[in-house]
Amino acid sequence: MEKVFVIADIHGHYNRLEKLLTFWRPEEEQLIFLGDYIDRGKESLAVLKKVKALTEQGAIALTGNHECLFLKWLAEPEWAHYLGNNIGGTATLASLQQPEWNANTPEEIASCIIKYYAELLEWMDALPLFHQWDKYFFVHGGIDPEKEDAAQTEPRDFIWIREKFHHTPHLAKETVVFGHTPTPYLNNSGTGELWISPCGKKIGLDGGVILKDGQLNGIVLTKGTDEVIIHSISENSVVTETKTLPATSY
């Protein structure tokens, strides 16, 4: 397709996802998700089911660090850190639990999830780390800025890298579109608006839906142009705007 519609870091906010998807034009826009579908928000299961169904219709969904943390917890349910406020896994487990389960301990809950959601977990475990399209490289966390071939980035960096990637001009030729780090932490204004690096080759899309006054962002990119259409869903508003990406400085 000549256009892509890209969404990052939903974190269990199903209603906002549904609102954002009303702007997607499936007949002309390839849908791409950048990971972090779960944790903190209350509707992780609904988000996972929705994204999985969309991939079965042709959407592309990448993995995020929160999917990896969840799978790690399933393998090691004694790992209590996943259930703390920093990660927010308790909300995910609450959305997954079924009334008929007689499960109380972390080990029992993990065992029930593995049995009940086998197909969903298989899908989650197989999610790719990145996707390339036109002049763009889509990924959850970022790339190793020292690699000329972005695809040669170490797997862990694809989902976890932050400052080194944000503040270092990368050698790869592509413009990197990423989530993971909320843009209120990147924008001087502290807002959840799109973050575009000074060099013009990085686009941060995670509007901080997990934060107070955060938003869920989706963008439309078109081959052959530097125009980006931005749709932002906050708690009390829906905003659409168009920007022109700056010329890259290297």
Side-chain angles (χ1 to χ4, degrees):
M1 292 184 176
E2 296 298 306
K3 298 180 179 182
V4 292
F5 191 106
V6 193
I7 300 173
D9 296 75
I10 305 162
H11 283 296
H13 287 77
Y14 179 76
N15 289 336
R16 293 200 201 185
L17 172 62
E18 286 283 35
K19 289 180 182 179
L20 187 55
L21 286 171
T22 63
F23 294 97
W24 172 47
R25 301 293 175 257
E27 68 281 357
E28 60 183 49
E29 297 166 358
Q30 171 67 60
L31 185 59
I32 302 174
F33 294 99
L34 301 185
D36 276 10
Y37 311 109
I38 61 173
D39 295 341
R40 299 196 175 107
K42 296 180 179 180
E43 300 173 297
S44 289
L45 177 58
V47 172
L48 286 173
K49 286 183 174 180
K50 181 71 174 186
V51 174
K52 181 177 182 292
L54 288 168
T55 62
E56 292 165 353
Q57 299 168 26
I60 294 164
L62 307 182
T63 194
N65 62 304
H66 281 260
E67 284 72 59
C68 294
L69 291 169
F70 171 63
L71 294 172
K72 171 182 169 65
W73 179 84
L74 285 178
E76 306 171 22
E78 69 277 7
W79 183 54
H81 182 62
Y82 176 70
L83 305 179
N85 291 333
N86 188 45
I87 297 176
T90 301
T92 297
L93 301 192
S95 76
L96 292 167
Q97 284 190 279
Q98 298 297 315
E100 66 270 22
W101 293 356
N102 184 23
N104 298 300
T105 68
E107 290 76 13
E108 291 170 344
I109 295 170
S111 178
C112 287
I113 290 173
I114 290 169
K115 292 176 183 178
Y116 192 89
Y117 295 105
E119 184 178 340
L120 186 63
L121 295 175
E122 182 180 5
W123 168 82
M124 188 186 299
D125 192 45
L127 294 174
L129 290 166
F130 63 86
H131 179 71
Q132 293 173 280
W133 173 84
D134 196 41
K135 63 179 182 179
Y136 299 98
F137 191 96
F138 302 98
V139 66
H140 179 66
I143 65 169
D144 184 340
E146 299 176 359
K147 302 285 188 183
E148 292 187 7
D149 180 357
Q152 295 302 310
T153 296
E154 292 294 325
R156 190 180 192 282
D157 281 343
F158 279 132
I159 60 171
W160 282 105
I161 198 169
R162 292 193 195 270
E163 285 80 5
K164 180 182 177 182
F165 164 65
H166 301 152
H167 303 305
T168 307
H170 57 267
L171 299 180
K173 64 181 183 298
E174 293 90 355
T175 295
V176 181
V177 183
F178 68 99
H180 185 48
T181 301
T183 59
Y185 300 149
L186 298 172
N187 287 320
N188 291 332
S189 63
T191 66
E193 297 175 356
L194 205 68
W195 178 76
I196 301 172
S197 64
C199 64
K201 288 182 67 176
K202 301 178 179 72
I203 301 174
L205 191 52
D206 176 4
V209 71
I210 64 173
L211 304 173
K212 182 181 179 182
D213 301 324
Q215 57 196 48
L216 182 65
N217 293 331
I219 61 171
V220 178
L221 300 168
T222 304
K223 284 184 179 180
T225 79
D226 290 321
E227 181 181 271
V228 54
I229 300 172
I230 308 158
H231 304 290
S232 301
I233 312 296
S234 62
E235 186 174 357
N236 299 310
S237 67
V238 177
V239 176
T240 295
E241 59 181 324
T242 301
K243 291 185 177 181
T244 299
L245 298 175
T248 57
S249 61
Y250 64 96

